[in-house]
Structure formats: structure tokens, C-alpha cells
PDB file of all heavy atoms in Angstrom:
ATOM      1  N   ASN A   6     -90.616  -3.982 -86.652  1.00 96.00           N
ATOM      2  CA  ASN A   6     -89.253  -4.495 -86.474  1.00 96.00           C
ATOM      3  C   ASN A   6     -88.886  -5.636 -87.431  1.00 96.00           C
ATOM      4  O   ASN A   6     -87.960  -6.399 -87.144  1.00 96.00           O
ATOM      5  CB  ASN A   6     -89.017  -4.947 -85.028  1.00 96.00           C
ATOM      6  CG  ASN A   6     -89.181  -3.811 -84.040  1.00 96.00           C
ATOM      7  OD1 ASN A   6     -88.825  -2.669 -84.324  1.00 96.00           O
ATOM      8  ND2 ASN A   6     -89.750  -4.116 -82.887  1.00 96.00           N
ATOM      9  N   ILE A   7     -89.589  -5.762 -88.536  1.00 96.00           N
ATOM     10  CA  ILE A   7     -89.238  -6.783 -89.530  1.00 96.00           C
ATOM     11  C   ILE A   7     -88.710  -6.058 -90.762  1.00 96.00           C
ATOM     12  O   ILE A   7     -89.416  -5.251 -91.357  1.00 96.00           O
ATOM     13  CB  ILE A   7     -90.455  -7.664 -89.897  1.00 96.00           C
ATOM     14  CG1 ILE A   7     -91.006  -8.351 -88.644  1.00 96.00           C
ATOM     15  CG2 ILE A   7     -90.054  -8.696 -90.948  1.00 96.00           C
ATOM     16  CD1 ILE A   7     -92.270  -9.158 -88.891  1.00 96.00           C
ATOM     17  N   PRO A   8     -87.482  -6.346 -91.151  1.00 96.00           N
ATOM     18  CA  PRO A   8     -86.891  -5.688 -92.324  1.00 96.00           C
ATOM     19  C   PRO A   8     -87.676  -5.988 -93.607  1.00 96.00           C
ATOM     20  O   PRO A   8     -88.293  -7.052 -93.746  1.00 96.00           O
ATOM     21  CB  PRO A   8     -85.479  -6.283 -92.416  1.00 96.00           C
ATOM     22  CG  PRO A   8     -85.209  -6.862 -91.073  1.00 96.00           C
ATOM     23  CD  PRO A   8     -86.532  -7.251 -90.499  1.00 96.00           C
ATOM     24  N   THR A   9     -87.628  -5.053 -94.538  1.00 95.00           N
ATOM     25  CA  THR A   9     -88.361  -5.156 -95.799  1.00 95.00           C
ATOM     26  C   THR A   9     -88.062  -6.454 -96.536  1.00 95.00           C
ATOM     27  O   THR A   9     -88.977  -7.099 -97.050  1.00 95.00           O
ATOM     28  CB  THR A   9     -88.030  -3.951 -96.698  1.00 95.00           C
ATOM     29  OG1 THR A   9     -88.335  -2.756 -95.992  1.00 95.00           O
ATOM     30  CG2 THR A   9     -88.818  -3.993 -97.991  1.00 95.00           C
ATOM     31  N   GLU A  10     -86.785  -6.860 -96.576  1.00 96.00           N
ATOM     32  CA  GLU A  10     -86.430  -8.085 -97.304  1.00 96.00           C
ATOM     33  C   GLU A  10     -87.129  -9.299 -96.697  1.00 96.00           C
ATOM     34  O   GLU A  10     -87.582 -10.195 -97.412  1.00 96.00           O
ATOM     35  CB  GLU A  10     -84.910  -8.359 -97.271  1.00 96.00           C
ATOM     36  CG  GLU A  10     -83.986  -7.195 -97.518  1.00 96.00           C
ATOM     37  CD  GLU A  10     -83.825  -6.285 -96.296  1.00 96.00           C
ATOM     38  OE1 GLU A  10     -83.412  -6.713 -95.197  1.00 96.00           O
ATOM     39  OE2 GLU A  10     -84.122  -5.087 -96.476  1.00 96.00           O
ATOM     40  N   GLN A  11     -87.199  -9.334 -95.378  1.00 96.00           N
ATOM     41  CA  GLN A  11     -87.853 -10.459 -94.718  1.00 96.00           C
ATOM     42  C   GLN A  11     -89.368 -10.422 -94.944  1.00 96.00           C
ATOM     43  O   GLN A  11     -89.998 -11.467 -95.097  1.00 96.00           O
ATOM     44  CB  GLN A  11     -87.529 -10.470 -93.229  1.00 96.00           C
ATOM     45  CG  GLN A  11     -86.093 -10.859 -92.954  1.00 96.00           C
ATOM     46  CD  GLN A  11     -85.768 -10.888 -91.472  1.00 96.00           C
ATOM     47  OE1 GLN A  11     -86.435 -10.241 -90.660  1.00 96.00           O
ATOM     48  NE2 GLN A  11     -84.732 -11.628 -91.112  1.00 96.00           N
ATOM     49  N   LEU A  12     -89.946  -9.226 -94.972  1.00 95.00           N
ATOM     50  CA  LEU A  12     -91.378  -9.113 -95.263  1.00 95.00           C
ATOM     51  C   LEU A  12     -91.679  -9.583 -96.677  1.00 95.00           C
ATOM     52  O   LEU A  12     -92.677 -10.271 -96.906  1.00 95.00           O
ATOM     53  CB  LEU A  12     -91.859  -7.672 -95.069  1.00 95.00           C
ATOM     54  CG  LEU A  12     -92.016  -7.207 -93.640  1.00 95.00           C
ATOM     55  CD1 LEU A  12     -92.367  -5.726 -93.600  1.00 95.00           C
ATOM     56  CD2 LEU A  12     -93.064  -8.023 -92.920  1.00 95.00           C
ATOM     57  N   ASP A  13     -90.811  -9.211 -97.614  1.00 95.00           N
ATOM     58  CA  ASP A  13     -90.994  -9.667 -98.998  1.00 95.00           C
ATOM     59  C   ASP A  13     -90.946 -11.188 -99.069  1.00 95.00           C
ATOM     60  O   ASP A  13     -91.753 -11.814 -99.758  1.00 95.00           O
ATOM     61  CB  ASP A  13     -89.925  -9.056 -99.911  1.00 95.00           C
ATOM     62  CG  ASP A  13     -90.083  -7.557-100.103  1.00 95.00           C
ATOM     63  OD1 ASP A  13     -91.171  -7.023 -99.789  1.00 95.00           O
ATOM     64  OD2 ASP A  13     -89.116  -6.918-100.563  1.00 95.00           O
ATOM     65  N   GLU A  14     -90.006 -11.778 -98.369  1.00 96.00           N
ATOM     66  CA  GLU A  14     -89.881 -13.243 -98.352  1.00 96.00           C
ATOM     67  C   GLU A  14     -91.098 -13.884 -97.673  1.00 96.00           C
ATOM     68  O   GLU A  14     -91.615 -14.900 -98.129  1.00 96.00           O
ATOM     69  CB  GLU A  14     -88.579 -13.662 -97.655  1.00 96.00           C
ATOM     70  CG  GLU A  14     -88.364 -15.156 -97.583  1.00 96.00           C
ATOM     71  CD  GLU A  14     -88.179 -15.840 -98.937  1.00 96.00           C
ATOM     72  OE1 GLU A  14     -88.136 -15.162 -99.981  1.00 96.00           O
ATOM     73  OE2 GLU A  14     -88.095 -17.078 -98.946  1.00 96.00           O
ATOM     74  N   LEU A  15     -91.553 -13.284 -96.597  1.00 95.00           N
ATOM     75  CA  LEU A  15     -92.749 -13.795 -95.910  1.00 95.00           C
ATOM     76  C   LEU A  15     -93.949 -13.788 -96.849  1.00 95.00           C
ATOM     77  O   LEU A  15     -94.693 -14.774 -96.931  1.00 95.00           O
ATOM     78  CB  LEU A  15     -93.045 -12.954 -94.660  1.00 95.00           C
ATOM     79  CG  LEU A  15     -94.349 -13.277 -93.932  1.00 95.00           C
ATOM     80  CD1 LEU A  15     -94.348 -14.701 -93.406  1.00 95.00           C
ATOM     81  CD2 LEU A  15     -94.578 -12.276 -92.821  1.00 95.00           C
ATOM     82  N   MET A  16     -94.130 -12.694 -97.565  1.00 95.00           N
ATOM     83  CA  MET A  16     -95.260 -12.609 -98.505  1.00 95.00           C
ATOM     84  C   MET A  16     -95.133 -13.655 -99.607  1.00 95.00           C
ATOM     85  O   MET A  16     -96.107 -14.308 -99.985  1.00 95.00           O
ATOM     86  CB  MET A  16     -95.364 -11.209 -99.099  1.00 95.00           C
ATOM     87  CG  MET A  16     -95.748 -10.147 -98.081  1.00 95.00           C
ATOM     88  SD  MET A  16     -97.285 -10.508 -97.193  1.00 95.00           S
ATOM     89  CE  MET A  16     -98.453 -10.365 -98.518  1.00 95.00           C
ATOM     90  N   ARG A  17     -93.926 -13.841-100.104  1.00 96.00           N
ATOM     91  CA  ARG A  17     -93.698 -14.857-101.133  1.00 96.00           C
ATOM     92  C   ARG A  17     -94.068 -16.243-100.599  1.00 96.00           C
ATOM     93  O   ARG A  17     -94.764 -17.021-101.254  1.00 96.00           O
ATOM     94  CB  ARG A  17     -92.241 -14.837-101.595  1.00 96.00           C
ATOM     95  CG  ARG A  17     -91.971 -15.754-102.792  1.00 96.00           C
ATOM     96  CD  ARG A  17     -90.490 -15.922-103.068  1.00 96.00           C
ATOM     97  NE  ARG A  17     -89.793 -16.702-102.050  1.00 96.00           N
ATOM     98  CZ  ARG A  17     -89.916 -18.033-101.892  1.00 96.00           C
ATOM     99  NH1 ARG A  17     -90.718 -18.720-102.662  1.00 96.00           N
ATOM    100  NH2 ARG A  17     -89.234 -18.663-100.951  1.00 96.00           N
ATOM    101  N   LEU A  18     -93.634 -16.540 -99.383  1.00 95.00           N
ATOM    102  CA  LEU A  18     -93.920 -17.847 -98.785  1.00 95.00           C
ATOM    103  C   LEU A  18     -95.412 -18.039 -98.508  1.00 95.00           C
ATOM    104  O   LEU A  18     -95.958 -19.122 -98.743  1.00 95.00           O
ATOM    105  CB  LEU A  18     -93.109 -18.018 -97.497  1.00 95.00           C
ATOM    106  CG  LEU A  18     -91.600 -18.149 -97.682  1.00 95.00           C
ATOM    107  CD1 LEU A  18     -90.889 -18.037 -96.346  1.00 95.00           C
ATOM    108  CD2 LEU A  18     -91.253 -19.448 -98.393  1.00 95.00           C
ATOM    109  N   LEU A  19     -96.060 -17.002 -98.031  1.00 93.00           N
ATOM    110  CA  LEU A  19     -97.509 -17.107 -97.785  1.00 93.00           C
ATOM    111  C   LEU A  19     -98.272 -17.341 -99.085  1.00 93.00           C
ATOM    112  O   LEU A  19     -99.209 -18.151 -99.130  1.00 93.00           O
ATOM    113  CB  LEU A  19     -98.021 -15.861 -97.057  1.00 93.00           C
ATOM    114  CG  LEU A  19     -97.608 -15.742 -95.598  1.00 93.00           C
ATOM    115  CD1 LEU A  19     -97.997 -14.370 -95.047  1.00 93.00           C
ATOM    116  CD2 LEU A  19     -98.222 -16.843 -94.756  1.00 93.00           C
ATOM    117  N   HIS A  20     -97.865 -16.656-100.147  1.00 94.00           N
ATOM    118  CA  HIS A  20     -98.494 -16.893-101.452  1.00 94.00           C
ATOM    119  C   HIS A  20     -98.258 -18.337-101.900  1.00 94.00           C
ATOM    120  O   HIS A  20     -99.152 -18.977-102.450  1.00 94.00           O
ATOM    121  CB  HIS A  20     -97.972 -15.906-102.504  1.00 94.00           C
ATOM    122  CG  HIS A  20     -98.589 -14.560-102.419  1.00 94.00           C
ATOM    123  ND1 HIS A  20     -99.894 -14.309-102.799  1.00 94.00           N
ATOM    124  CD2 HIS A  20     -98.094 -13.375-101.987  1.00 94.00           C
ATOM    125  CE1 HIS A  20    -100.161 -13.031-102.607  1.00 94.00           C
ATOM    126  NE2 HIS A  20     -99.089 -12.444-102.107  1.00 94.00           N
ATOM    127  N   GLN A  21     -97.077 -18.851-101.649  1.00 95.00           N
ATOM    128  CA  GLN A  21     -96.769 -20.236-102.017  1.00 95.00           C
ATOM    129  C   GLN A  21     -97.648 -21.209-101.225  1.00 95.00           C
ATOM    130  O   GLN A  21     -98.160 -22.180-101.778  1.00 95.00           O
ATOM    131  CB  GLN A  21     -95.293 -20.545-101.774  1.00 95.00           C
ATOM    132  CG  GLN A  21     -94.898 -21.952-102.189  1.00 95.00           C
ATOM    133  CD  GLN A  21     -95.062 -22.177-103.676  1.00 95.00           C
ATOM    134  OE1 GLN A  21     -94.525 -21.419-104.473  1.00 95.00           O
ATOM    135  NE2 GLN A  21     -95.803 -23.199-104.061  1.00 95.00           N
ATOM    136  N   ILE A  22     -97.840 -20.938 -99.946  1.00 93.00           N
ATOM    137  CA  ILE A  22     -98.704 -21.787 -99.120  1.00 93.00           C
ATOM    138  C   ILE A  22    -100.133 -21.774 -99.665  1.00 93.00           C
ATOM    139  O   ILE A  22    -100.770 -22.824 -99.809  1.00 93.00           O
ATOM    140  CB  ILE A  22     -98.657 -21.341 -97.642  1.00 93.00           C
ATOM    141  CG1 ILE A  22     -97.291 -21.672 -97.035  1.00 93.00           C
ATOM    142  CG2 ILE A  22     -99.780 -22.001 -96.833  1.00 93.00           C
ATOM    143  CD1 ILE A  22     -97.059 -21.087 -95.658  1.00 93.00           C
ATOM    144  N   VAL A  23    -100.630 -20.590 -99.991  1.00 91.00           N
ATOM    145  CA  VAL A  23    -101.987 -20.484-100.551  1.00 91.00           C
ATOM    146  C   VAL A  23    -102.088 -21.264-101.858  1.00 91.00           C
ATOM    147  O   VAL A  23    -103.041 -22.015-102.080  1.00 91.00           O
ATOM    148  CB  VAL A  23    -102.395 -19.006-100.754  1.00 91.00           C
ATOM    149  CG1 VAL A  23    -103.673 -18.886-101.563  1.00 91.00           C
ATOM    150  CG2 VAL A  23    -102.548 -18.313 -99.411  1.00 91.00           C
ATOM    151  N   ASP A  24    -101.101 -21.107-102.721  1.00 93.00           N
ATOM    152  CA  ASP A  24    -101.092 -21.837-103.994  1.00 93.00           C
ATOM    153  C   ASP A  24    -101.056 -23.342-103.774  1.00 93.00           C
ATOM    154  O   ASP A  24    -101.767 -24.097-104.454  1.00 93.00           O
ATOM    155  CB  ASP A  24     -99.900 -21.412-104.865  1.00 93.00           C
ATOM    156  CG  ASP A  24    -100.023 -19.986-105.381  1.00 93.00           C
ATOM    157  OD1 ASP A  24    -101.135 -19.407-105.323  1.00 93.00           O
ATOM    158  OD2 ASP A  24     -98.997 -19.440-105.840  1.00 93.00           O
ATOM    159  N   ASN A  25    -100.233 -23.803-102.838  1.00 94.00           N
ATOM    160  CA  ASN A  25    -100.148 -25.233-102.538  1.00 94.00           C
ATOM    161  C   ASN A  25    -101.501 -25.784-102.087  1.00 94.00           C
ATOM    162  O   ASN A  25    -101.938 -26.839-102.541  1.00 94.00           O
ATOM    163  CB  ASN A  25     -99.117 -25.508-101.432  1.00 94.00           C
ATOM    164  CG  ASN A  25     -97.697 -25.257-101.867  1.00 94.00           C
ATOM    165  OD1 ASN A  25     -97.401 -25.134-103.055  1.00 94.00           O
ATOM    166  ND2 ASN A  25     -96.800 -25.170-100.901  1.00 94.00           N
ATOM    167  N   VAL A  26    -102.134 -25.053-101.187  1.00 91.00           N
ATOM    168  CA  VAL A  26    -103.428 -25.500-100.672  1.00 91.00           C
ATOM    169  C   VAL A  26    -104.473 -25.495-101.785  1.00 91.00           C
ATOM    170  O   VAL A  26    -105.248 -26.443-101.929  1.00 91.00           O
ATOM    171  CB  VAL A  26    -103.867 -24.617 -99.477  1.00 91.00           C
ATOM    172  CG1 VAL A  26    -105.298 -24.895 -99.079  1.00 91.00           C
ATOM    173  CG2 VAL A  26    -102.922 -24.827 -98.299  1.00 91.00           C
ATOM    174  N   GLN A  27    -104.487 -24.440-102.588  1.00 89.00           N
ATOM    175  CA  GLN A  27    -105.449 -24.348-103.686  1.00 89.00           C
ATOM    176  C   GLN A  27    -105.260 -25.488-104.683  1.00 89.00           C
ATOM    177  O   GLN A  27    -106.224 -26.109-105.111  1.00 89.00           O
ATOM    178  CB  GLN A  27    -105.337 -22.997-104.396  1.00 89.00           C
ATOM    179  CG  GLN A  27    -106.402 -22.767-105.445  1.00 89.00           C
ATOM    180  CD  GLN A  27    -107.795 -22.756-104.855  1.00 89.00           C
ATOM    181  OE1 GLN A  27    -108.030 -22.256-103.765  1.00 89.00           O
ATOM    182  NE2 GLN A  27    -108.743 -23.332-105.572  1.00 89.00           N
ATOM    183  N   ASP A  28    -104.014 -25.775-105.038  1.00 90.00           N
ATOM    184  CA  ASP A  28    -103.729 -26.878-105.951  1.00 90.00           C
ATOM    185  C   ASP A  28    -104.238 -28.200-105.392  1.00 90.00           C
ATOM    186  O   ASP A  28    -104.846 -29.002-106.103  1.00 90.00           O
ATOM    187  CB  ASP A  28    -102.218 -26.994-106.213  1.00 90.00           C
ATOM    188  CG  ASP A  28    -101.672 -25.869-107.072  1.00 90.00           C
ATOM    189  OD1 ASP A  28    -102.469 -25.115-107.681  1.00 90.00           O
ATOM    190  OD2 ASP A  28    -100.426 -25.732-107.111  1.00 90.00           O
ATOM    191  N   GLN A  29    -103.989 -28.433-104.112  1.00 91.00           N
ATOM    192  CA  GLN A  29    -104.428 -29.674-103.479  1.00 91.00           C
ATOM    193  C   GLN A  29    -105.952 -29.784-103.471  1.00 91.00           C
ATOM    194  O   GLN A  29    -106.507 -30.839-103.758  1.00 91.00           O
ATOM    195  CB  GLN A  29    -103.867 -29.750-102.062  1.00 91.00           C
ATOM    196  CG  GLN A  29    -104.152 -31.042-101.354  1.00 91.00           C
ATOM    197  CD  GLN A  29    -103.427 -32.220-101.962  1.00 91.00           C
ATOM    198  OE1 GLN A  29    -102.389 -32.063-102.626  1.00 91.00           O
ATOM    199  NE2 GLN A  29    -103.949 -33.406-101.789  1.00 91.00           N
ATOM    200  N   LEU A  30    -106.618 -28.691-103.138  1.00 87.00           N
ATOM    201  CA  LEU A  30    -108.086 -28.709-103.090  1.00 87.00           C
ATOM    202  C   LEU A  30    -108.673 -28.965-104.491  1.00 87.00           C
ATOM    203  O   LEU A  30    -109.661 -29.690-104.624  1.00 87.00           O
ATOM    204  CB  LEU A  30    -108.613 -27.384-102.534  1.00 87.00           C
ATOM    205  CG  LEU A  30    -108.364 -27.158-101.042  1.00 87.00           C
ATOM    206  CD1 LEU A  30    -108.787 -25.749-100.642  1.00 87.00           C
ATOM    207  CD2 LEU A  30    -109.077 -28.196-100.196  1.00 87.00           C
ATOM    208  N   GLU A  31    -108.081 -28.368-105.494  1.00 86.00           N
ATOM    209  CA  GLU A  31    -108.583 -28.560-106.866  1.00 86.00           C
ATOM    210  C   GLU A  31    -108.374 -29.994-107.327  1.00 86.00           C
ATOM    211  O   GLU A  31    -109.200 -30.533-108.071  1.00 86.00           O
ATOM    212  CB  GLU A  31    -107.911 -27.575-107.817  1.00 86.00           C
ATOM    213  CG  GLU A  31    -108.431 -26.160-107.627  1.00 86.00           C
ATOM    214  CD  GLU A  31    -107.715 -25.120-108.462  1.00 86.00           C
ATOM    215  OE1 GLU A  31    -106.844 -25.494-109.279  1.00 86.00           O
ATOM    216  OE2 GLU A  31    -108.009 -23.931-108.259  1.00 86.00           O
ATOM    217  N   ARG A  32    -107.313 -30.637-106.893  1.00 88.00           N
ATOM    218  CA  ARG A  32    -107.057 -32.035-107.267  1.00 88.00           C
ATOM    219  C   ARG A  32    -108.075 -32.986-106.637  1.00 88.00           C
ATOM    220  O   ARG A  32    -108.330 -34.055-107.165  1.00 88.00           O
ATOM    221  CB  ARG A  32    -105.656 -32.458-106.844  1.00 88.00           C
ATOM    222  CG  ARG A  32    -104.625 -32.108-107.878  1.00 88.00           C
ATOM    223  CD  ARG A  32    -103.290 -32.776-107.573  1.00 88.00           C
ATOM    224  NE  ARG A  32    -102.332 -31.695-107.492  1.00 88.00           N
ATOM    225  CZ  ARG A  32    -101.530 -31.435-106.482  1.00 88.00           C
ATOM    226  NH1 ARG A  32    -101.525 -32.207-105.436  1.00 88.00           N
ATOM    227  NH2 ARG A  32    -100.730 -30.412-106.504  1.00 88.00           N
TER     228      ARG A  32
END
């Protein structure tokens, strides 16, 4: 029951969260 556009946005946001955490850990 989640539209494709919202799933795409969710995936984009999750990737951003992972990138944020990875950047912080590397610093």
C-alpha cells in the first residue's frame, strides 16, 4: 500500500541516512 513515488523517496532518504552516518564515522 505504498505508492512507487513514496518508495523511491524512502529509498533516497535511507541512502542519505546511511551516507550521513558513514561520513560521521569516517570523521
Side-chain angles (χ1 to χ4, degrees):
N6 299 324
I7 301 176
T9 303
E10 316 78 58
Q11 289 181 337
L12 285 175
D13 291 344
E14 180 65 4
L15 174 62
M16 293 305 293
R17 187 191 70 73
L18 292 169
L19 288 172
H20 281 288
Q21 182 63 54
I22 290 171
V23 169
D24 291 345
N25 291 345
V26 170
Q27 186 62 38
D28 289 347
Q29 185 68 24
L30 289 174
E31 287 175 4
R32 274 191 237 125

